[in-house]
């Protein structure tokens, strides 16, 4: 299929694009490079621009004969979303609705949405299944949930087939070590821990008073290549039978911040200074997925589930890219 990948120069988008191309799809990337990197898109046709720019996207859809959209472009930081909600409504909702409008104009009716565990809010039952109540505790989750809902209505109106993938915590780097996580500033746990291992400043531990076994927040870390694989399966499903599907992508195991730090100590063999800090606003205590539905509906199962193995791939990337992508 001829696919437009929005956010294709980002951490997850670049790995997804490569995996889809390996599967034989023709890929066009669009990314405004606000957080993505040109180097991560190397070897791909990249349009630098806003996926909510209707003129640009409308022309691309028609000229490039796009048949489906993989929509990853978004702002995706919980605490930033709490501090600047309008940015999240603009980037995640307004721009996405513009993209959907142009898809409609061009008769493109297949979409894979990058969604998030943040749609659930504070869990009332674990592991979290897709029918768990959705009560986001931050604008990031709220805007993704609104977009999922819009897609459901559009599907009901026979305007859109979609698969929404609710990622839990993406981690790790591509198997060949070429693509990994680089943000500036970096706010994510695994890259921050590895920076500290490489001699950077101590890792902040945001919250040591959660009601978890060691007091730190628990997350479900899912390897970025496993996330990419789910996109391949989602595209296959859309071309085979269309429909509307929303599934979690997690590895089903929860690890605390301290467990991640311990794993990084084992993998790197380095000392890892830490610094206790207050909780970050909007951060839930525990997020652990049930991915049984993705197994049943997509035939998906995560392959790299061992925490040390996930961190090992990220460490290989960190060592070979000490200054990120340098662009
Ligand atoms: N975290 C931390 N120190 C850091 C970065 C993150 O303690 O330097 C914590 C954060 O509060 C959360 C977990 O690690 O409980 C995962 O955070 P991350 O930003 O990686 O992903 P999020 O769950 O916010 O999407």
């Amino acid at each position: 299929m001829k696919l437009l990948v929005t956010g294709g120069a980002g951490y997850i988008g670049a790995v997804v694009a490569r995996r889809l191309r390996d599967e034989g799809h023709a890929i066009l990337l669009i990314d405004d490079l606000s957080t993505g990197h040109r180097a991560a898109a190397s070897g791909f046709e990249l349009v630098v621009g806003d996926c909510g720019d209707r003129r640009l996207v409308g022309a691309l859809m028609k000229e490039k004969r796009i048949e489906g959209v993989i929509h990853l472009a978004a702002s995706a930081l919980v605490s930033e979303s709490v501090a600047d909600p309008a940015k999240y409504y603009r980037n995640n909702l307004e721009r996405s609705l513009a993209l959907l409008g142009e898809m409609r104009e061009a008769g493109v009716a297949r979409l894979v949405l990058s969604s998030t565990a943040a749609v659930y809010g504070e869990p009332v039952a674990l592991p979290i299944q897709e029918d768990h109540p959705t009560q986001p505790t931050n604008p990031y989750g709220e805007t993704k949930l609104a977009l999922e809902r819009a897609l459901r209505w559009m599907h009901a109106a026979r305007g859109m087939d979609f698969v929404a993938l609710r990622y839990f915590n993406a981690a790790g780097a591509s198997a060949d070590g070429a693509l990994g996580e680089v943000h500036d500033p970096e706010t994510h746990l695994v890259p921050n821990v590895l920076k500290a291992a490489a001699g950077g400043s101590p890792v902040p531990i945001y919250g040591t008073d959660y009601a978890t076994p060691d007091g730190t927040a628990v997350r479900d870390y899912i390897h970025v290549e496993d996330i990419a694989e789910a996109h391949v399966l989602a595209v296959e499903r859309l071309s085979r039978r269309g429909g509307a599907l929303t599934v979690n992508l997690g590895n089903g195991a929860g690890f605390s911040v301290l467990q991640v730090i311990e794993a990084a100590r084992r993998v790197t063999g380095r000392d890892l200074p830490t610094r206790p800090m207050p909780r970050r606003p909007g951060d839930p205590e525990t997020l652990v997925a049930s991915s049984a539905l993705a197994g049943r509906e997509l035939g998906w199962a995560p392959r790299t589930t061992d925490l040390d193995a996930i961190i090992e791939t990220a460490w290989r990337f960190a060592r070979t890219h000490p200054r990120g992508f340098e662009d």
Side-chain angles (χ1 to χ4, degrees):
M1 225 189 284
K2 182 90 205 228
L3 298 170
L4 178 67
V5 179
T6 76
Y11 164 45
I12 302 172
V15 181
V16 166
R18 222 165 55 160
R19 187 68 192 82
L20 286 166
R21 187 176 62 184
D22 289 349
E23 216 51 44
H25 297 290
I27 305 295
L28 174 66
L29 309 183
I30 182 165
D31 199 301
D32 66 3
L33 298 181
S34 57
T35 55
H37 302 272
R38 202 179 278 277
S42 127
F44 283 88
E45 187 179 353
L46 168 69
V47 175
V48 178
D50 171 0
C51 69
D53 177 340
R54 293 194 71 145
R55 277 233 316 259
L56 172 66
V57 171
L60 284 179
M61 297 266 182
K62 283 168 203 133
E63 281 162 21
K64 304 284 185 178
R65 298 175 186 277
I66 297 299
E67 297 168 282
V69 175
I70 315 297
H71 184 36
L72 294 108
S75 294
L77 297 178
V78 167
S79 24
E80 184 190 55
S81 81
V82 174
D84 188 359
K87 175 175 176 179
Y88 279 68
Y89 278 83
R90 198 165 53 243
N91 287 353
N92 296 356
L93 206 49
E94 200 176 305
R95 287 174 161 180
S96 298
L97 291 175
L99 171 73
L100 290 169
E102 285 312 307
M103 289 177 69
R104 184 192 167 121
E105 282 287 307
V108 180
R110 292 173 182 141
L111 181 97
V112 180
L113 174 68
S114 157
S115 190
T116 168
V119 298
Y120 294 113
E122 215 41 84
V124 294
L126 289 167
I128 298 172
Q129 298 184 339
E130 289 78 358
D131 59 359
H132 183 283
T134 43
Q135 285 166 337
T137 52
N138 54 67
Y140 170 51
E142 191 79 70
T143 52
K144 287 284 186 173
L145 181 61
L147 184 54
E148 281 189 8
R149 288 192 169 142
L151 284 171
R152 245 174 274 155
W153 287 114
M154 287 175 196
H155 174 74
R158 300 182 192 283
M160 186 67 64
D161 288 338
F162 73 91
V163 176
L165 301 172
R166 291 176 173 167
Y167 315 156
F168 280 61
N169 283 62
S174 67
D176 65 353
L179 296 172
E181 188 165 12
V182 179
H183 297 110
D184 188 20
E186 188 53 78
T187 63
H188 293 105
L189 181 61
V190 172
N192 272 354
V193 166
L194 295 179
K195 271 188 181 168
S201 43
V203 195
I205 299 178
Y206 296 121
T208 52
D209 58 348
Y210 286 106
T212 57
D214 64 22
T216 65
V218 170
R219 294 288 182 274
D220 179 329
Y221 294 88
I222 174 78
H223 197 268
V224 67
E225 293 274 17
D226 283 324
I227 290 182
E229 179 65 18
H231 288 74
V232 170
L233 296 168
V235 169
E236 271 171 23
R237 179 189 168 99
L238 286 175
S239 58
R240 210 172 49 240
R241 55 180 278 196
L245 176 69
T246 300
V247 295
N248 291 337
L249 297 181
N251 83 35
F255 295 100
S256 71
V257 171
L258 286 178
Q259 283 176 310
V260 170
I261 291 169
E262 268 317 307
R265 286 194 176 115
R266 284 194 296 274
V267 167
T268 63
R270 309 253 178 117
D271 208 27
L272 243 158
T274 59
R275 188 162 45 109
M277 298 282 285
R279 296 181 185 192
R280 286 193 313 201
D283 271 355
E285 180 172 287
T286 300
L287 293 173
V288 179
S290 159
S291 298
L293 190 63
R296 283 200 302 278
E297 294 291 331
L298 295 177
W300 178 84
R303 287 190 192 141
T304 311
T305 52
D306 179 66
L307 182 61
D308 290 28
I310 293 174
I311 292 178
E312 243 167 65
T313 65
W315 180 230
R316 192 179 327 137
F317 176 79
R319 271 177 309 162
T320 51
H321 299 76
R323 285 175 296 281
F325 283 117
E326 304 198 29
D327 61 349

